[in-house]
Amino acid sequence: AVVLTDSEFYDNGIAGADLWENGRAYVQGSIFRDTRADSAGVWGEGLRIFATPVDAWDNRFERNERAGVFVAGCDSTSRPARFSTWVNTFTCNAFDMAIASYDFLTGTACSGGLTIEDNGGNQCVISTLCPQEPYLYGTCKAHPIGALTPVALP
């Protein structure tokens, strides 16, 4: 298992941290902030999860150019990714979470769907109001991303 605790990922390009096909991962008490897209205008996620079950709690995902968290489908065995989230804060990301239910390397659809489990206590700032304070919180949302190539930010 991979365990990330009390870690800080600031001012990175493409991704703050990647979790690829691990048996299981736990992310707790960490900050993922100000991740930028690449020169083509794609990526820019605080945490990227590929075909890995992840439990995440008490983290902050702030001002990442595309999404606080990106969850992509499955590995070569079609094992789906799972992101279980509780008591996390998503602030001023273009998307709270972005999802893609396909094998990211081959582009084929996953046989089982990926899962995002909202276990309560999550807070998401309405991104159209950023960077204004005080922040106004709304419902956390996961936005689907098209097959093969992530969608560039406008």
Side-chain angles (χ1 to χ4, degrees):
V2 173
V3 179
L4 289 175
T5 58
D6 300 319
S7 300
E8 297 178 355
F9 300 88
Y10 294 108
D11 298 314
N12 290 292
I14 300 175
D18 278 346
L19 297 171
W20 283 86
E21 297 186 25
N22 298 302
R24 186 175 194 93
Y26 303 91
V27 182
Q28 188 264 329
S30 297
I31 301 169
F32 301 84
R33 179 182 294 150
D34 294 324
T35 307
R36 297 170 311 282
D38 66 11
S39 60
V42 296
W43 303 114
E45 295 91 15
L47 176 64
R48 295 191 311 178
I49 300 166
F50 298 95
T52 300
V54 175
D55 294 329
W57 66 99
D58 196 28
N59 299 289
R60 293 180 4 219
F61 301 92
E62 302 171 344
R63 301 188 312 259
N64 296 290
E65 194 164 347
R66 184 167 74 169
V69 176
F70 174 68
V71 182
C74 51
D75 62 11
S76 56
T77 64
S78 292
R79 180 182 65 215
R82 181 187 57 75
F83 180 61
S84 184
T85 174
W86 62 98
V87 196
N88 291 297
T89 303
F90 296 83
T91 307
C92 300
N93 304 288
F95 300 133
D96 304 325
M97 292 163 273
I99 58 173
S101 58
Y102 55 90
D103 180 324
F104 201 75
L105 298 177
T106 67
T108 58
C110 296
S111 61
L114 59 84
T115 305
I116 295 180
E117 300 170 348
D118 182 352
N119 294 303
N122 296 299
Q123 294 185 318
C124 293
V125 170
I126 299 172
S127 62
T128 56
L129 301 177
C130 290
Q132 300 172 18
E133 292 187 44
Y135 294 130
L136 186 63
Y137 291 92
T139 302
C140 295
K141 296 178 182 175
H143 298 270
I145 299 295
L148 295 182
T149 305
V151 176
L153 292 173

